[in-house]
């Protein structure tokens, strides 16, 4: 019989009973309980009366439902930290909680998917460079490692008066502290027919399901004409167009129709003419629609011009200054009168937020994103934090880009941890300029940083290494039972 270990465990339990004023235990008086508490303070220096005291303590535990009361007592005083969404920021925060656990905190993750995609590798997945497993984080494995509870369901609202998360299928989930990292979705509802006939790139699982169907169709029908439409000429739309073209052209076994390095002596032809010349040699058409006069208006002139030249050399039709007014079955209708047929239409426009944060009473900006302070804490409800695309930092608005979601992981963890410990929070300030590495789908990447731009295969190797290191840091951990 290990007396010292029994003393440590049993007497600690008894001290908890004393602390919470549980005195109505038959057969034991307050004096005995007080004596047990005093002995506990002596640590290992316990006199010969330890057997009697242990027996008394044992009676306490036996009387208290054979120790089940202790479990109830501990559970009653646990703090509930609930995370909605398995985005990049929450994945990093969960990994940090595994390395810095809090014994009186129970963590619950609510996510509608068990495999969450890493956005930095999705264009590479579309191009065929990565497998599904290589670019997805296994949330079940991560939560098991953190010793957190995973609820696979979709959050649909909050009861902020009673601190409850309302789920689509599960009963409400109580929280003491809440963090939201649910990303964003392209704004489609404002265009008639877009919600019914277009494929938004977010939520990503639905997009990937559709993309895999396209791959299967092209593989099974290589002689059939396929038309792909992409609405949105920002970095996301341009990168998607290049990677879609790369993957499908490999499947169809196109000959090389362009020289990756631009030639000074190359004749000057406009994008429409070049796209027509190239498309006549294939049964693949890709159309990119953008409302502005130039692509990727948030990037410098060199990058904008270079990316348009890349698209032209690939034979991709670029329709600038075209507002999509309506989407019909297999037909894009622009306000200018331009109509373009399609088999599949991807929607990669400006990000939008779901309605439920605003309906629940959280303070949001004009587009529905949750307003947070520099500490990533809701400006209206201090028990709520938000990060990633769903959040707008009032003093430092930043683009809805994965690089910021990743950078917010550590600050979010620190402030959640500090809140749970009753410590003051620390502000987070995002960088003003950030490096974008845009994959071309052909083993090369374009760097965009401030006024600097450059394309090189070395940049793709760099991007690939960065992305793989991130996935290793999140996904590799000791196996859990």
């Amino acid at each position: 019989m290990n007396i010292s270990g029994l003393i440590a465990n049993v007497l600690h339990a008894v001290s908890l009973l004393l602390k919470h004023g549980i005195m109505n235990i038959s057969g034991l008086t307050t004096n005995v309980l007080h004596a047990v508490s005093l002995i506990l303070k002596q640590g290992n220096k316990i006199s010969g009366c330890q057997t009697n005291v242990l027996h008394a303590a044992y009676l306490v535990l036996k009387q208290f439902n054979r120790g089940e009361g202790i479990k109830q007592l501990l559970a009653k005083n646990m703090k509930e930290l609930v995370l909605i969404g398995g985005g990049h920021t929450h994945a990093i925060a969960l990994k940090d909680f595994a390395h810095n656990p809090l014994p009186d905190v129970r963590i619950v993750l609510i996510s509608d998917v068990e495999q969450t995609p890493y956005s930095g590798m999705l264009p590479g997945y579309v191009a065929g460079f990565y497998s599904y497993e290589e670019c997805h984080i296994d949330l079940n494995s991560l939560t098991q490692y953190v010793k957190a509870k995973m609820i696979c369901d979709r959050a649909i609202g909050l009861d902020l008066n009673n601190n409850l998360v309302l789920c689509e299928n599960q009963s409400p989930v109580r929280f003491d502290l809440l963090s939201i990292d649910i990303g964003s979705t392209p704004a489609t509802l404002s265009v008639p027919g877009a919600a019914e006939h277009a494929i938004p790139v977010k939520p990503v699982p639905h997009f990937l399901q559709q993309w895999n169907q396209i791959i299967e169709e092209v593989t099974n029908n290589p002689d059939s004409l396929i038309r792909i439409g992409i609405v949105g000429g920002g970095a996301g739309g341009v990168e998607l167009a290049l990677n879609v073209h790369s993957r499908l052209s490999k499947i169809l076994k196109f000959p090389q129709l362009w020289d990756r390095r631009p030639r000074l002596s190359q004749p000057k032809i406009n994008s429409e003419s070049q796209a027509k010349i190239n498309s006549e040699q294939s049964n693949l058409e890709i159309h990119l629609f953008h409302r502005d006069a130039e692509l990727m208006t948030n990037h410098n002139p060199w990058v904008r011009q270079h990316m348009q030249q890349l698209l032209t050399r690939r034979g991709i039709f670029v329709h600038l200054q075209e507002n999509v007014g309506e989407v019909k079955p297999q037909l894009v209708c622009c306000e200018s009168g331009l109509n373009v047929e399609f088999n599949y239409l991807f929607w990669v426009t400006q990000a939008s937020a779901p309605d439920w944060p605003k309906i629940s009473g959280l303070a949001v900006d004009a587009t529905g994103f949750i307003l947070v302070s520099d500490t990533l804490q809701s400006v209206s409800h201090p028990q709520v934090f938000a990060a990633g695309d769903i959040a707008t930092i009032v003093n430092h608005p930043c683009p809805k880009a994965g690089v910021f979601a990743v950078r917010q992981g550590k600050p979010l963890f620190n402030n959640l941890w500090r809140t749970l410990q009753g410590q003051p929070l620390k502000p987070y300030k995002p960088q003003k300029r950030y490096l974008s590495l845009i994959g071309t789908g052909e083993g090369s990447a374009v760097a965009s940083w401030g006024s600097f731009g450059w394309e090189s295969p070395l940049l793709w190797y760099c991007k690939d290494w960065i992305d793989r290191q991130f996935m290793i840091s999140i996904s590799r951990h000791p196996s859990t039972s």
Side-chain angles (χ1 to χ4, degrees):
M1 183 178 182
N2 187 348
I3 297 296
S4 61
L6 189 58
I7 290 173
N9 292 328
V10 175
L11 296 187
H12 177 63
V14 173
S15 71
L16 287 176
L17 295 177
L18 287 171
K19 179 180 179 181
H20 292 273
I22 301 173
M23 298 299 182
N24 296 324
I25 310 289
S26 64
L28 293 173
T29 65
T30 302
N31 290 336
V32 173
L33 291 172
H34 182 63
V36 172
S37 177
L38 290 177
I39 291 173
L40 178 62
K41 294 180 180 180
Q42 298 299 316
N44 293 327
K45 299 177 181 179
I46 298 178
S47 65
C49 69
Q50 62 185 16
T51 303
N52 292 332
V53 173
L54 282 171
H55 181 66
Y58 169 76
L59 291 177
V60 173
L61 294 179
K62 184 178 179 181
Q63 202 66 16
F64 203 69
N65 197 21
R66 294 187 178 182
E68 289 301 315
I70 298 300
K71 295 179 182 178
Q72 296 170 11
L73 193 61
L74 290 171
K76 182 180 178 181
N77 291 279
M78 291 285 281
K79 297 175 184 175
E80 301 285 344
L81 169 61
V82 176
L83 310 179
I84 301 178
H88 307 352
T89 314
H90 276 175
I92 294 171
L94 280 169
K95 197 65 182 281
D96 284 342
F97 269 111
H99 299 153
N100 303 274
L102 292 172
D104 59 341
V105 174
R106 179 164 42 216
I107 302 175
V108 177
L109 173 66
I110 302 174
S111 172
D112 59 348
V113 295
E114 296 180 348
Q115 302 283 331
T116 188
Y118 172 47
S119 62
M121 300 176 81
L122 285 178
Y125 173 80
V126 170
F129 294 132
Y130 304 117
S131 67
Y132 181 90
E133 292 75 18
E134 285 177 315
C135 61
H136 281 75
I137 300 169
D138 187 339
L139 294 178
N140 270 323
S141 176
L142 180 58
T143 51
Q144 288 177 23
Y145 176 60
V146 182
K147 294 182 174 59
K149 180 180 179 181
M150 167 88 177
I151 297 177
C152 192
D153 201 352
R154 189 169 69 94
I156 58 174
L158 301 174
D159 178 352
L160 293 170
N161 293 325
N162 297 298
N163 283 359
L164 295 174
V165 178
L166 309 180
C167 299
E168 192 170 49
N169 300 307
Q170 302 277 340
S171 57
V173 179
R174 189 187 72 82
F175 65 86
D176 296 297
L177 191 62
L178 177 69
S179 181
I180 304 173
D181 176 24
I182 55 175
S184 60
T185 58
T188 60
L189 297 179
S190 59
V191 177
E196 293 80 13
H197 307 299
I199 304 168
V201 294
K202 294 180 180 180
V204 172
H206 176 66
F207 161 72
L208 293 183
Q209 181 182 11
Q210 296 293 317
W211 174 242
N212 290 330
Q213 289 180 9
I214 295 173
I215 294 296
E216 183 177 356
E217 179 182 335
V218 174
T219 302
N220 293 334
N221 303 281
D223 297 326
S224 299
L225 174 64
I226 182 168
R227 295 186 177 98
I228 304 291
I230 299 173
V231 178
V238 171
E239 189 172 23
L240 179 63
L242 291 170
N243 284 275
V244 165
H245 180 275
S246 175
R247 180 70 176 278
L248 296 184
S249 64
K250 289 173 184 175
I251 294 174
L252 296 171
K253 299 180 180 179
F254 287 169
Q256 290 287 66
L257 300 178
W258 70 92
D259 183 350
R260 191 177 302 153
R261 295 170 298 174
R263 299 174 182 172
L264 295 177
S265 59
Q266 191 172 4
K268 293 183 178 180
I269 53 179
N270 61 45
S271 60
E272 290 283 340
S273 299
Q274 182 66 59
K276 184 177 181 181
I277 292 171
N278 288 341
S279 66
E280 286 175 351
Q281 305 175 56
S282 72
N283 53 352
L284 170 66
E285 283 185 14
I286 299 179
H287 295 262
L288 180 64
F289 303 88
H290 189 51
R291 66 176 56 188
D292 295 324
E294 288 186 280
L295 298 169
M296 301 172 60
T297 51
N298 291 330
H299 293 262
N300 66 67
W302 185 92
V303 170
R304 296 200 297 267
Q305 182 179 12
H306 183 75
M307 298 308 289
Q308 183 158 346
Q309 290 173 352
L310 259 181
L311 293 166
T312 299
R313 293 201 300 272
R314 300 282 182 92
I316 297 171
F317 291 87
V318 179
H319 305 283
L320 296 176
Q321 293 182 294
E322 292 288 356
N323 282 320
V324 176
E326 185 180 3
V327 180
K328 297 179 179 180
Q330 298 192 335
L331 186 68
V332 173
C333 303
C334 298
E335 293 177 357
S336 67
L338 173 69
N339 294 331
V340 178
E341 294 181 347
F342 68 87
N343 301 106
Y344 296 93
L345 180 66
F346 296 118
W347 209 269
V348 201
T349 59
Q350 190 174 11
S352 66
D355 294 333
W356 65 259
K358 179 180 179 180
I359 295 172
S360 299
L362 290 172
V364 298
D365 64 13
T367 52
F369 294 101
I370 301 171
L371 291 172
V372 297
S373 65
D374 294 355
T375 61
L376 304 179
Q377 190 174 34
S378 165
V379 297
S380 60
H381 294 78
Q383 74 273 35
V384 178
F385 285 72
D389 282 3
I390 193 60
T392 295
I393 305 175
V394 175
N395 295 327
H396 307 287
C398 52
K400 305 299 181 184
V403 61
F404 291 101
V406 171
R407 293 289 180 89
Q408 289 171 13
K410 194 71 172 181
L412 176 67
F413 160 74
N414 286 334
N415 282 336
L416 290 175
W417 196 93
R418 286 174 170 274
T419 300
L420 292 165
Q421 293 292 90
Q423 298 180 10
L425 307 185
K426 289 188 175 182
Y428 159 75
K429 184 178 181 180
Q431 69 270 36
K432 292 183 179 180
R433 292 194 297 179
Y434 63 99
L435 175 65
S436 290
L437 293 173
I438 305 164
T440 66
E442 293 293 328
S444 184
V446 176
S448 176
W449 188 75
S451 60
F452 171 81
W454 182 39
E455 182 189 353
S456 170
L458 292 175
L459 292 172
W460 168 254
Y461 298 140
C462 178
K463 172 177 168 55
D464 177 65
W465 184 85
I466 292 171
D467 290 337
R468 289 183 184 275
Q469 289 302 307
F470 172 78
M471 289 299 293
I472 288 172
S473 69
I474 295 297
S475 300
R476 285 192 181 177
H477 42 256
S479 61
T480 55
S481 58

